[in-house]
Amino acid sequence: MTRGSATATTAGLNGTILTDFGTGTAGAPPAKTLKARTDNGILYISGLTAGKPWSIYGISGLLLRQGTAAGPEITVTLPAQGMYVVVSGEEAVKVVY
């Protein structure tokens, strides 16, 4: 294995976060594929793996919905405005509506 340095830049609503993974024999962590966004009370989730479970939690940790992905994308009607956490596999995404 070769040694090297990896840097990732994430742009968000509140600015840009720069993360340096340092040097070493291990590469950068795998890219996140799970994405979630809201539009008019609908939660759009993409990056799912067919046959794998997904869950939506309220910010208090209360499980709101769960299921098994039939394909890479799903839509869910949200019960109210608030902050939600979408979980699939080892990935989690926070979304505000």
Side-chain angles (χ1 to χ4, degrees):
M1 290 188 178
T2 61
R3 294 182 159 257
S5 178
T7 301
T9 303
T10 303
L13 295 176
N14 297 323
T16 300
I17 300 169
L18 182 65
T19 304
D20 184 4
F21 297 109
T23 58
T25 56
K32 300 287 185 187
T33 59
L34 184 64
K35 293 179 177 45
R37 68 177 178 84
T38 61
D39 186 18
N40 228 11
I42 305 293
L43 176 62
Y44 296 86
I45 304 169
S46 62
L48 297 169
T49 302
K52 298 291 182 180
W54 56 266
S55 302
I56 302 170
Y57 295 89
I59 196 63
S60 65
L62 179 67
L63 176 65
L64 300 176
R65 295 274 308 263
Q66 68 185 69
T68 301
E73 299 178 359
I74 62 168
T75 58
V76 176
T77 302
L78 295 172
Q81 290 186 336
M83 192 175 305
Y84 299 91
V85 177
V86 178
V87 178
S88 181
E90 294 183 11
E91 293 186 73
V93 175
K94 180 174 67 173
V95 64
V96 178
Y97 162 58

